[in-house]
Amino acid sequence: MSSSKERTNPILTKHPLRHASPITAILDSGRSSESEVLVPLSELRLRADQPRRYFDPEAMRSFVASVRSKGILQPLLVRKVEGGYEIVAGERRFRAAQEVGLTRVPILVRDWSDEEVQLVALVENLQREDLNPVEETEGIIRLLSVKLEQSDEQVVSLLYRMENEVKGKITHNVMGNQEAKVVEEVFEALSRQSWRSFVANRLPLRNLPSDVLEALRRGRIEYTKARLIAKVADPDERSKLLERAISENLSLNQLRKAVENLSSTQQLATQIFTRRLQTIGRVLGNRRLTEAQQARVEALLGELEKIAEP
């Protein structure tokens, strides 16, 4: 028999989809109405933490045109809240309905918990491949945050600790605890990728420079290319390469060569700069300076020391 902690702690609660087809089980769970119903748009509410944040303008215009000619073909998934319904899946359909002036849309009502809403919203978007890599990464972290009742940063820390244990870098028994089991269950339910693949390929996206991250979020560049461009340390050179990669649609190989060339150029520039500093140091060390010259050198050294501060 389960302990009281197991019965009440949502972290330990097994989701009903674990032993079924994950996507089908999630989207079919929590039914409170078997058939769709029409409701006024005014009764629908958008969720603040919807996984999808960016809608491509061109794709949205095309979708709006489709809704204008054919209407909403698939009902929105919602749950009952005070004063109406909260949209769990179907924000794009809702926005398109507003755009074309529809007053009512079809919905399917489900009885889902906050935790299940996170999972449903994420899976529904993943099923349609609507999320870009940044949104997918943020959505999965948020889902784990809800499941584990931890902050996003705590979730990321846990994932890295799990990875380090698997690699033998730490000896703590992370993989055997309940939190790690929850992580494994979530990725099994999503049937998208393993948690280790997520740590290796998706968590690094959170550390991308802001300009590269925004381009990736808006679908202007693929994440494999984004990670390459992020290796360019100089902000100006990185920005130029980013725009070139987008405008010229550079292949991964072309982009890799461009990054290597920039790295070689930067290394050469650094070597030349270092030699110049060394030469100036030797010359000044062997020269007798006037008081005015020495005062000026002291001032310049003070500026250099400020620049060199971490």
Side-chain angles (χ1 to χ4, degrees):
M1 178 177 293
S2 301
S3 67
S4 60
K5 182 176 181 180
E6 289 175 324
R7 287 196 300 272
T8 59
N9 190 339
I11 295 178
L12 305 180
T13 303
K14 285 186 174 292
H15 198 281
L17 58 88
R18 300 296 179 228
H19 304 295
S21 173
I23 290 177
T24 301
I26 295 168
L27 299 182
D28 286 344
S29 68
R31 290 192 173 186
S32 61
S33 69
E34 290 295 326
S35 59
E36 62 186 70
V37 294
L38 286 172
V39 299
L41 279 180
S42 59
E43 293 186 14
L44 297 176
R45 311 280 186 271
L46 290 173
R47 291 174 52 238
D49 55 352
Q50 165 71 12
R52 186 174 183 178
R53 299 182 185 178
Y54 175 73
F55 294 87
D56 180 78
E58 186 64 32
M60 193 64 193
R61 281 192 292 270
S62 176
F63 185 67
V64 168
S66 174
V67 170
R68 182 174 284 113
S69 63
K70 301 176 183 177
I72 301 294
L73 301 180
Q74 187 168 7
L76 288 68
L77 295 178
V78 304
R79 68 171 175 173
K80 195 80 172 74
V81 294
E82 184 177 353
Y85 302 92
E86 181 183 65
I87 299 173
V88 177
E91 179 179 350
R92 190 172 69 144
R93 280 164 275 168
F94 172 76
R95 293 183 182 277
Q98 288 180 315
E99 181 74 18
V100 303
L102 296 181
T103 58
R104 301 168 74 87
V105 293
I107 65 169
L108 286 174
V109 182
R110 296 289 186 259
D111 182 19
W112 283 315
S113 66
D114 290 344
E115 176 184 307
E116 289 169 328
V117 163
Q118 289 276 0
L119 187 57
V120 170
L122 181 60
V123 170
E124 201 268 352
N125 279 287
L126 289 175
Q127 187 181 33
R128 300 171 185 278
E129 299 185 348
D130 277 353
L131 297 184
N132 63 49
V134 180
E135 291 171 330
E136 180 184 356
T137 301
E138 292 171 342
I140 290 175
I141 291 173
R142 282 199 302 275
L143 173 60
L144 289 170
S145 177
V146 171
K147 291 282 291 182
L148 295 168
E149 297 182 326
Q150 296 181 0
S151 68
D152 289 359
E153 293 307 317
Q154 287 175 318
V155 168
V156 172
S157 177
L158 170 63
L159 289 169
Y160 279 125
R161 291 202 312 273
M162 289 171 62
E163 176 69 1
N164 286 334
E165 181 178 334
V166 170
K167 290 182 176 180
K169 294 182 178 180
I170 60 174
T171 57
H172 303 299
N173 189 24
V174 181
M175 292 303 297
N177 67 24
Q178 188 61 44
E179 291 176 340
K181 291 178 181 178
V182 170
V183 170
E184 292 173 335
E185 287 177 350
V186 166
F187 280 93
E188 178 187 349
L190 293 175
S191 294
R192 188 75 171 180
Q193 60 185 310
S194 69
W195 68 265
R196 293 197 67 187
S197 175
F198 182 78
V199 170
N201 300 311
R202 292 304 173 87
L203 284 188
L205 298 183
R206 302 174 77 245
N207 300 319
L208 289 176
S210 58
D211 55 345
V212 180
L213 187 64
E214 185 61 19
L216 180 60
R217 186 188 297 281
R218 291 181 174 273
R220 301 183 70 199
I221 195 167
E222 297 90 340
Y223 84 96
T224 49
K225 295 180 180 179
R227 291 182 65 180
L228 263 178
I229 295 172
K231 293 181 179 180
V232 179
D234 183 86
D236 292 334
E237 293 296 337
R238 185 177 63 241
S239 179
K240 291 176 185 176
L241 182 58
L242 175 61
E243 289 305 317
R244 183 184 161 207
I246 294 170
S247 62
E248 299 179 21
N249 192 26
L250 297 180
S251 69
L252 201 58
N253 283 336
Q254 289 174 318
L255 198 54
R256 188 175 289 111
K257 289 178 181 178
V259 171
E260 289 173 354
N261 289 338
L262 279 174
S263 297
S264 298
T265 302
Q266 289 172 350
Q267 288 176 0
L268 179 59
T270 299
Q271 291 171 357
I272 293 173
F273 180 72
T274 301
R275 284 198 294 268
R276 288 178 64 194
L277 288 177
Q278 291 171 343
T279 300
I280 291 172
R282 284 197 303 270
V283 171
L284 291 178
N286 294 326
R287 179 176 298 175
R288 187 165 185 156
L289 302 176
T290 65
E291 288 187 6
Q293 289 175 327
Q294 187 166 345
R296 186 181 178 192
V297 170
E298 287 287 351
L300 291 173
L301 284 174
E303 290 297 318
L304 288 174
E305 286 170 349
K306 289 180 182 178
I307 294 174
E309 288 178 356

